């Protein structure tokens, strides 16, 4: 194999496929990036068997062939090369010569014979959306997935297509994050559970804006994301997702409208009094025109009052402040509506057309301590 | 005690004195910042018994007094307060009420009775220089101090004043970093060893430019830095420093002039082939008009050739690339001169008027392996 490409193009490709290189594995071939120049285009591929990424790199193939090179070493070398043309030449024993200006590296590669290529995915069920929309919807929900290895379904997100609506849901037993995105076209109904790890990685490499489209393909066991010169294939999580619609109610006794930034900064201050691993609730007292936030720990106490608009009953309710903070951080609205029923029932933060719904369970607290 | 000051002023002061709060200590009073408003000005003080910092904060004292508050909690709270006036009020049992807009914190403080104030330093021996000059000279030498606890002298830097010259030296047994700064005035000869930790911390808080002056006071056991509204006092390291002038020779057999950036980037690439904890030399072969750099490790090999100007003999010599990198990183010149004697003798990187001298010992290597 012998090829020439620009350092910047090569680096961009390496950065993309590196997301599918496992940090720990016993199979050393999985730690490699495959450079495949055997079929007229230069492709970089990495695959940890759950998640596989393939991307094309512009360049000139002088001798066709392929080689697998340790991903960490290869990406470090490419990053530090001068910003110029890079030549990669592989001899018969798979030693890779990487040359750029006066710098020459010599790295032992592998034949790539036992490298796992990406599975073939039929292209019959798919949706289109912008790269920006996918990246945003992941950011706005991913914090609510569970890290519970015993319940694998919680470690993924529901992607549910119904006509021209994409619903994305994450939940962990204490809270639900739900977003609805309107699609340009209508599609047949589809529903899959995508691993959180896949979504985390893809949100880092889908860097396009609202004008940059991408396609998501659905199959029984796989999902495929296609954008620019890149294809990402991931296994799906098997099983049936929770019936979230049954948990989301529109009834409420109290509706609070509050400035999001003020509430977020107040909660942020309150958590200063919580040392790591030590859970303390924020106690919220809702009055006619203000809401009082109280935190009490062995470090000290904090209280703060914020002006609100209120409909319905007064209420005193406690929350894990982290859950409120996580939700508020990803809401772009200046003012938010919080719907409450009673101190034992979940609260809902949602906008009018339900483009987002965040459900958070309250925590018990004894007034005497707070 | 009761006082009012701006959040931004308070935060700036807290950030400065926090540098003297020890990360680990068995004396809980050392973990505190003392707020002293007993004598008409608001002072913040921290002191870990080696290094003490005192700084003034603008503000209004309503009731005189003082209180010691846990530095970590206090600085976190101040950082997260709204950007407005902050009121700190301490009651008789030393509970501190910190109020800003609608946010109120209540933190248990201490009387500060057993707090260690900064030692009094006579102001008879001193030098003036710019804040920029001190910060730069520390950055340009501090990497060469030893971490050898058995030889405490190596953990500090020599500050030697001779007429209008300040010489700063750090060495660790493998290398020497030396800088000479011309002072505006002439002073009597002084020579002290300043702890590296003190210099690291002070270089973070001396943020002024070339026009912002500061004064350094010398005493037998202490050094004091005075700038803006801040005073930093540190103990000195006792003992006699190495006679560095005897180690620095002007004789050479080979003089190489090389582009600093090219050499630095080449060394940077070479170190990619060294895994942590695994030392490998960079082998340098000096020819008539070029210098070849070779690295060889179990990961692979790298070689690169850089054009140079040369006087004197050809040579082959090995170095720990890290030592060369450290020195090159802090030299601002575009081209540098390297002076060599033979493959067993130290090399010198220095400019013509010796504003900097970096001495680096070579390492042994067997050509067969490289």
């Amino acid at each position: 194999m012998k090829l020439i490409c620009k350092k910047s193009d090569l680096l961009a490709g390496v950065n993309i496929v590196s997301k599918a290189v496992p940090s720990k594995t016993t199979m050393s071939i999985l730690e490699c990036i495959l450079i495949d120049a055997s079929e007229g285009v230069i492709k970089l591929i990495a695959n940890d068997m759950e998640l596989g990424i393939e991307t094309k790199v512009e360049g000139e193939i002088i001798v066709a062939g392929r080689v697998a090179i340790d991903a960490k070493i290869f990406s470090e070398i490419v990053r530090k090369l001068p910003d110029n043309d890079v030549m990669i030449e592989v001899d018969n024993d798979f030693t890779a010569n990487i040359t750029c200006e006066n710098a020459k590296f010599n790295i032992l590669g592998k034949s790539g014979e036992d490298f796992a290529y990406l599975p073939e995915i039929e292209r019959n069920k798919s949706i289109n959306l912008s790269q920006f929309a996918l990246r945003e919807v992941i950011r706005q929900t991913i914090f609510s997935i569970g890290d519970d290895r015993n319940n694998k379904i919680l470690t993924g997100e529901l992607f549910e297509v119904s006509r021209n609506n994409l619903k994305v849901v994450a939940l962990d037993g204490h809270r639900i994050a739900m977003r609805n995105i309107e699609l340009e076209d209508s599609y047949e109904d589809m529903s899959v559970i995508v691993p959180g790890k896949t979504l985390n990685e893809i949100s880092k490499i889908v860097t396009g804006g609202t004008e940059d489209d991408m396609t998501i393909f659905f199959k029984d066991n796989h999902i495929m994301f296609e954008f620019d010169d890149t294809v990402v294939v991931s296994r799906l999580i098997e099983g049936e997702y929770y019936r979230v619609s049954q948990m989301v109610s529109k009834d409420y006794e109290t509706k609070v409208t509050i400035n999001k930034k003020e509430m977020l900064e107040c909660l942020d201050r309150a958590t200063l009094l919580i040392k790591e691993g030590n859970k303390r609730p924020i106690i919220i007292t809702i009055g006619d025109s203000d809401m009082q936030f109280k935190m009490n720990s062995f470090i000290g106490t904090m209280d703060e009052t914020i002006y609100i608009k209120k409909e319905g009953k007064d209420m005193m309710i406690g929350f894990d402040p982290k859950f409120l903070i996580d939700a508020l951080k990803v809401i772009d609205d200046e003012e938010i509506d919080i719907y409450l029923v009673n101190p034992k029932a979940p609260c809902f933060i949602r906008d009018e057309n339900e483009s987002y719904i965040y459900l958070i369970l309250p925590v018990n607290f004894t007034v005497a301590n707070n």
Side-chain angles (χ1 to χ4, degrees), chain A:
Chain A
M1 190 191 85
K2 184 171 176 180
L3 57 85
I4 295 174
C5 56
K6 275 195 207 143
K7 177 239 166 114
S8 53
D9 292 340
L10 186 61
L11 182 58
V14 167
N15 283 342
I16 288 172
V17 299
S18 289
K19 302 291 186 289
V21 177
S23 52
K24 274 181 189 176
T25 172
T26 51
M27 291 171 66
S28 71
I29 189 71
L30 298 187
E31 290 172 336
C32 291
I33 291 175
L34 184 75
I35 307 173
D36 187 342
S38 60
E39 288 167 352
V41 286
I42 305 170
K43 285 193 276 188
L44 303 180
I45 310 172
N47 189 353
D48 74 1
M49 311 307 277
E50 287 277 317
L51 174 68
I53 307 180
E54 183 181 299
T55 194
K56 283 183 204 138
V57 176
E58 286 279 314
E60 185 191 347
I61 301 172
I62 295 157
V63 180
R66 59 180 173 234
V67 65
I69 306 183
D70 182 273
K72 193 155 172 289
I73 298 294
F74 185 58
S75 70
E76 283 176 354
I77 288 175
V78 173
R79 187 166 302 122
K80 296 254 166 137
L81 286 176
D83 203 2
N84 211 325
D85 281 350
V86 180
M87 187 172 76
I88 305 177
E89 194 174 359
V90 178
D91 59 21
N92 290 334
D93 65 352
F94 296 101
T95 301
N97 294 278
I98 304 167
T99 313
C100 186
E101 293 183 358
N102 291 321
K104 278 189 212 109
F105 280 92
N106 238 300
I107 307 287
L108 195 61
K110 291 191 173 90
S111 74
E113 264 177 15
D114 47 352
F115 195 88
Y117 281 81
L118 269 54
E120 282 291 326
I121 304 288
E122 286 167 50
R123 289 160 178 267
N124 47 6
K125 281 185 178 181
S126 68
I127 62 169
N128 289 315
L129 75 169
S130 79
Q131 298 187 22
F132 177 81
L134 180 73
R135 192 170 64 245
E136 280 295 284
V137 79
I138 294 171
R139 180 181 73 86
Q140 290 160 343
T141 53
I142 195 82
F143 57 85
S144 279
I145 63 171
D147 58 0
D148 192 347
R149 294 276 155 192
N150 297 324
N151 189 344
K152 211 171 177 203
I153 284 176
L154 293 186
T155 66
E157 294 203 340
L158 178 72
F159 272 59
E160 190 174 84
V161 178
S162 169
R163 268 174 290 181
N164 69 335
N165 186 74
L166 169 66
K167 186 200 291 287
V168 176
V169 183
L171 70 85
D172 70 357
H174 302 286
R175 54 180 165 169
I176 302 175
M178 187 188 305
R179 286 267 170 176
N180 286 296
I181 298 177
E182 199 180 316
L183 303 171
E184 292 217 348
D185 301 310
S186 273
Y187 303 91
E188 62 174 298
D189 290 3
M190 287 174 281
S191 175
V192 297
I193 309 171
V194 190
K197 184 178 172 294
T198 294
L199 296 171
N200 266 323
E201 299 302 347
I202 202 156
S203 71
K204 289 177 206 153
I205 57 180
V206 174
T207 52
T210 50
E211 301 294 308
D212 300 302
D213 266 15
M214 64 181 300
T215 308
I216 307 180
F217 298 91
F218 297 85
K219 261 210 76 182
D220 289 350
N221 301 314
H222 288 95
I223 189 167
M224 178 165 83
F225 303 85
E226 196 177 63
F227 54 97
D228 306 335
D229 287 322
T230 302
V231 170
V232 178
V233 177
S234 166
R235 278 183 202 272
L236 294 170
I237 296 175
E238 285 173 46
E240 201 173 335
Y241 204 73
Y242 296 88
R243 300 218 178 154
V244 179
S245 57
Q246 295 176 356
M247 307 176 196
V248 176
S249 140
K250 289 206 177 190
D251 299 336
Y252 64 90
E253 295 288 332
T254 306
K255 176 183 170 186
V256 169
T257 304
I258 187 167
N259 179 292
K260 191 208 73 169
K261 186 161 171 282
E262 284 181 24
M263 178 166 165
L264 183 55
E265 287 178 354
C266 165
L267 292 167
D268 219 22
R269 281 190 278 275
T271 54
L272 294 179
L273 298 181
I274 313 174
K275 291 268 175 186
E276 243 173 288
N278 188 350
K279 288 207 172 161
R280 299 289 307 166
I282 182 107
I283 311 298
I284 297 175
T285 309
I286 303 168
D288 269 348
S289 62
D290 60 31
M291 208 154 133
Q292 190 196 30
F293 296 79
K294 265 200 161 179
M295 171 61 73
N296 187 344
S297 82
F298 71 95
I299 296 173
T301 66
M302 180 266 188
D303 75 274
E304 184 161 351
T305 302
I306 299 178
Y307 293 104
I308 58 168
K309 275 177 278 182
K310 189 196 76 163
E311 290 171 23
K313 297 190 299 185
D314 289 358
M315 198 179 297
M316 195 177 196
I317 187 166
F319 290 101
D320 182 334
K322 185 186 175 304
F323 292 166
L324 292 170
I325 289 173
D326 284 347
L328 294 190
K329 268 188 182 166
V330 298
I331 296 176
D332 294 329
D333 295 344
E334 213 172 294
E335 297 219 306
I336 54 167
D337 296 326
I338 308 176
Y339 299 85
L340 305 110
V341 179
N342 66 54
K344 309 262 181 207
C347 83
F348 291 89
I349 306 172
R350 58 176 160 83
D351 60 351
E352 250 171 68
N353 54 6
E354 302 201 338
S355 76
Y356 61 81
I357 303 178
Y358 293 96
L359 173 158
I360 299 167
L361 285 178
V363 293
N364 282 324
F365 63 96
T366 44
V367 178
N369 283 343
N370 285 280

